[in-house]
């Protein structure tokens, strides 16, 4: 009679009573931990795949990421163009502006034309300076000036006539350009004047003038008066 074949226990099965005993000695917590580990191992490749897609999307749409997105890229390019344009204009001498007003106004102790010294700055100044109650221009070219002045109501003295003037003077003090806006009223009145002018060199300066009856006076502060200049071109003709 042939020898009987040795018993073989398939891999992964409980090997007799010893295997059953070993399995029964495992606590429920150990068993759950083993099962959880098997699930996590199988889930990891899927989680990694989903995570890679998520990170890619965040990289495109998150402005703080490596890729700023199309909108952010376009905005950055616009800022670069604006910066380049500003630098180019400054190099060409095109940019120039200055905004001012008179803090104290005038009392108009005498009738006739009087100078209103501008002594306060609004915002930055480029291509000009404020000195001696006037705006001095730092370059030649086409400039535009605007001004406003508010006068008190008419009193019993003088006339009802009033005006506001922008005057442009050459470096030697001669009158180079002038424009006047006027009114004839006894009421409190605000006048504005606008004038384009060309200067052939740096050093020209712009002043604010007014004319009102004796004792009529003009109001001070940025609410009631002001003068601005802006450069439009380096050309003089």
């Amino acid at each position: 009679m042939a020898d009987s074949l040795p018993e073989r226990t398939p891999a992964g099965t409980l090997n007799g009573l010893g295997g059953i005993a070993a399995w029964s000695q495992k606590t429920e917590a150990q068993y759950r931990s083993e099962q959880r580990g098997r699930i996590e191992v199988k889930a990891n490749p899927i989680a990694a795949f989903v995570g890679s897609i998520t990170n890619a999307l965040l990289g495109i749409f998150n402005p703080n990421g490596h890729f700023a997105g199309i909108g952010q890229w376009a905005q950055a390019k616009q800022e670069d163009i604006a910066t380049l344009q500003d630098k180019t204009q400054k190099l060409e001498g095109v940019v120039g502006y200055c905004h001012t007003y008179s803090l104290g106004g005038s009392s108009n102790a005498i009738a006739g034309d009087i100078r209103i010294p501008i002594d306060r700055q609004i915002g930055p100044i480029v291509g000009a300076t404020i000195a001696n109650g006037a705006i001095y221009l730092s370059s030649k070219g086409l400039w535009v000036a605007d001004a406003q002045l508010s006068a008190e109501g008419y009193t019993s003295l003088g006339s009802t006539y009033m005006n506001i003037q922008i005057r442009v003077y050459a470096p030697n003090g001669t009158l180079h350009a002038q424009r006047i806006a006027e009114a004839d009223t006894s009421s409190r009145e605000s006048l504005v004047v606008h004038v384009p002018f060309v200067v052939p060199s740096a050093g020209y300066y712009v002043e604010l003038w007014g004319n009102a009856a004796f004792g009529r006076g003009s109001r001070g502060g940025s609410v009631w008066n002001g003068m601005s200049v802006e450069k439009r071109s380096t050309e003089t003709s």
Side-chain angles (χ1 to χ4, degrees):
M1 182 175 183
D3 296 336
S4 59
L5 294 175
E7 292 187 9
R8 296 180 181 269
T9 304
T13 62
L14 298 178
N15 186 8
L17 296 177
I20 296 175
W23 175 82
S24 63
Q25 290 176 0
K26 290 185 179 181
T27 65
E28 183 178 356
Q30 290 174 328
Y31 177 76
R32 291 182 182 274
S33 177
E34 288 181 2
Q35 297 305 315
R36 187 183 304 111
R38 292 190 182 96
I39 294 173
E40 288 178 353
V41 168
K42 293 180 180 179
N44 279 339
I46 300 176
F49 176 73
V50 174
S52 63
I53 295 178
T54 303
N55 291 333
L57 293 174
L58 290 175
I60 295 174
F61 295 105
N62 183 5
N64 296 322
H66 180 69
F67 298 99
I70 296 176
Q72 191 75 9
W73 176 84
Q75 181 179 356
K77 289 301 178 183
Q78 289 177 354
E79 292 174 356
D80 290 343
I81 292 173
T83 300
L84 178 61
Q85 184 177 15
D86 288 343
K87 291 181 179 179
T88 302
Q89 288 181 337
K90 288 181 180 179
L91 289 174
E92 293 178 348
V94 173
V95 174
Y97 48 83
C98 179
H99 306 286
T100 65
Y101 66 95
S102 174
L103 181 63
S106 68
S107 61
N108 279 79
I110 59 174
D113 291 349
I114 62 170
R115 180 174 175 266
I116 313 295
I118 51 98
D119 52 12
R120 292 293 186 272
Q121 174 181 334
I122 301 175
I125 298 177
V126 175
T129 56
I130 301 173
N132 304 319
I135 301 175
Y136 284 77
L137 310 178
S138 302
S139 62
K140 68 176 184 177
L142 173 64
W143 291 77
V144 174
D146 293 275
Q148 175 183 321
L149 188 66
S150 299
E152 298 289 359
Y154 168 73
T155 63
S156 57
L157 300 175
S159 70
T160 56
Y161 174 80
M162 61 173 293
N163 72 36
I164 177 177
Q165 308 170 32
I166 290 178
R167 296 185 181 185
V168 183
Y169 289 92
N172 62 6
T174 60
L175 185 63
H176 176 71
Q178 181 182 25
R179 182 164 289 180
I180 301 173
E182 59 183 5
D184 191 349
T185 176
S186 59
S187 302
R188 187 169 62 206
E189 184 75 14
S190 294
L191 294 175
V192 295
V193 63
H194 169 89
V195 54
F197 59 93
V198 173
V199 294
S201 66
Y204 283 69
Y205 57 96
V206 186
E207 294 183 342
L208 174 62
W209 285 67
N211 184 313
F214 179 80
R216 191 166 184 178
S218 61
R219 293 192 163 195
S222 61
V223 175
W224 301 104
N225 72 73
M227 184 168 69
S228 300
V229 298
E230 293 186 4
K231 188 174 182 180
R232 300 298 175 81
S233 172
T234 58
E235 298 176 344
T236 57
S237 61

